[in-house]
Amino acid sequence: MTDKLDKTPSGPADAAPEQVPPDIIRAIPVRHYGRWISAVVVVAVLGALGYAFAQGNVRWATVTDKLFDSSILAGLWHTVLISVVSMAVGLALGVLFAVMRLSKNPVTSSVAWLYIWFFRGTPVYVQLLIWFNLALIFPILNLGFYKDYMTAVMTPFLAALLGLGLNEGAYMAEIVRAGIQSVDEGQTEASHALGMTQMQTMRRVVLPQSMRVIIPPTGNEFINMLKTSSLVVAVQYQDLLRSAQDVAATSFAVMEMLFVASIWYLALTSVFSVGQYYLERRFARGSLRALPPTPLERIKSNLLSLSNWRR
């Protein structure tokens, strides 16, 4: 008997398997048939919806003619103005009442709670009507150093600003409070150990770190403000919707002017949504290891995957 086994291949059966060079291996992407089926269904539904509107009794030429009408553009500017100013007022009030709500002083925290409770609990439409009809309760505004009729003071712009701004301040107070509470308490303790006051700690340490939490819902609130501003027609403010209604009253194109207003509202929300996206992306730096791809990067990736699938 031999002490060692002969490991030399004795025939074709014992031959080593042939190695395939790695350069000729080509990965085949998985085909997602469900995605294509759902895409076809969505396109078919959109096509049917477009065909239905094309066959409806709508004068589309009037829509294109009135889209850039001077009164419509003036109303568009007033909508942007009242939305931006009201959001600024709401943001300032939100920061103030959020700090008051978190205060250890029972008086300030109770006042902040009552403010938030009242303006969140009543419809903004009712608040607008209350401000606009305030002259029924106070015919004359007398501040000591200033006195005038309330009807002269409470203009449509001021009524819209108070109605939208104060209501928004209640929602922003809760958003800011959640952002402040998301910052670790050790940051505040460390700031106080360095000799910083409560106000300096809030302004330089807490609020900058809480912006990552505050920015996304604030952007959503502003987008909602652009649409909620259409309620100011109740106080006779000449916004986009009221301008469209005035044109419809003279041209008898009611649905067409509503379509014009809808197109401009969609344009406004789309533009500010893009700004919100990049603002969120900026404040997300440092908290995420890798930022999510931008819309252009996603489109490029989808096009590359489509070209690979065709191969």
Side-chain angles (χ1 to χ4, degrees):
M1 246 181 117
T2 58
D3 296 331
K4 296 182 180 180
L5 297 175
D6 187 7
K7 295 184 179 181
T8 303
S10 58
D14 298 329
E18 182 181 357
Q19 298 293 330
V20 180
D23 55 342
I24 65 174
I25 298 178
R26 184 168 63 90
I28 300 176
V30 179
R31 299 183 178 182
H32 302 278
Y33 295 102
R35 296 180 182 178
W36 289 100
I37 295 174
S38 60
V40 171
V41 172
V42 170
V43 171
V45 172
L46 292 177
L49 186 62
Y51 178 78
F53 274 94
Q55 298 299 316
N57 188 17
V58 180
R59 293 175 289 176
W60 296 107
T62 303
V63 175
T64 56
D65 291 340
K66 298 297 184 180
L67 193 61
F68 295 97
D69 188 82
S70 58
S71 60
I72 296 297
L73 295 180
L76 177 66
W77 160 247
H78 291 157
T79 293
V80 175
L81 177 64
I82 194 63
S83 299
V84 172
V85 177
S86 299
M87 193 66 198
V89 172
L91 183 59
L93 292 176
V95 174
L96 175 63
F97 283 98
V99 175
M100 291 175 59
R101 179 81 184 275
L102 296 174
S103 174
K104 297 181 180 179
N105 188 328
V107 177
T108 57
S109 61
S110 299
V111 170
W113 183 86
L114 285 173
Y115 168 81
I116 296 171
W117 169 76
F118 177 79
F119 284 99
R120 288 179 61 192
T122 55
V124 62
Y125 187 79
V126 176
Q127 297 173 29
L128 287 168
L129 293 177
I130 289 176
W131 287 112
F132 188 64
N133 295 283
L134 199 62
L136 298 176
I137 303 176
F138 305 103
I140 297 177
L141 177 64
N142 189 359
L143 299 177
F145 60 90
Y146 178 81
K147 184 178 181 180
D148 199 354
Y149 289 101
M150 184 62 74
T151 53
V153 175
M154 193 60 61
T155 60
F157 176 80
L158 183 58
L161 178 62
L162 291 174
L164 296 178
L166 293 176
N167 181 79
E168 187 61 36
Y171 288 93
M172 286 304 306
E174 292 297 280
I175 293 174
V176 174
R177 182 177 66 88
I180 292 175
Q181 290 180 332
S182 67
V183 180
D184 189 80
E185 294 183 358
Q187 301 285 334
T188 303
E189 296 174 356
S191 301
H192 291 168
L194 293 174
M196 299 177 66
T197 64
Q198 185 71 24
M199 185 61 66
Q200 289 175 336
T201 301
M202 182 64 63
R203 181 167 54 89
R204 298 182 179 182
V205 178
V206 177
L207 283 179
Q209 295 186 60
S210 63
M211 291 302 290
R212 180 175 56 86
V213 179
I214 295 175
I215 287 296
T218 301
N220 293 333
E221 284 295 314
F222 182 69
I223 298 300
N224 185 62
M225 174 69 74
L226 287 170
K227 299 179 295 182
T228 307
S229 64
S230 61
L231 295 177
V232 297
V233 295
V235 298
Q236 301 179 9
Y237 182 69
Q238 197 70 25
D239 71 323
L240 175 59
L241 180 59
R242 184 174 178 83
S243 299
Q245 289 177 339
D246 291 343
V247 175
T250 57
S251 63
F252 302 101
V254 177
M255 291 301 298
E256 288 79 3
M257 296 313 303
L258 291 178
F259 288 154
V260 169
S262 299
I263 291 172
W264 278 118
Y265 279 119
L266 285 172
L268 287 177
T269 55
S270 299
V271 170
F272 284 103
S273 295
V274 173
Q276 174 192 356
Y277 171 80
Y278 283 101
L279 189 62
E280 292 180 10
R281 186 180 176 86
R282 176 178 177 81
F283 279 95
R285 295 184 304 178
S287 61
L288 299 176
R289 294 183 178 181
L291 293 175
T294 63
L296 293 178
E297 293 174 347
R298 292 177 182 176
I299 293 175
K300 184 179 179 180
S301 176
N302 291 333
L303 292 176
L304 290 176
S305 62
L306 179 61
S307 61
N308 292 333
W309 182 83
R310 288 180 176 179
R311 293 177 183 176

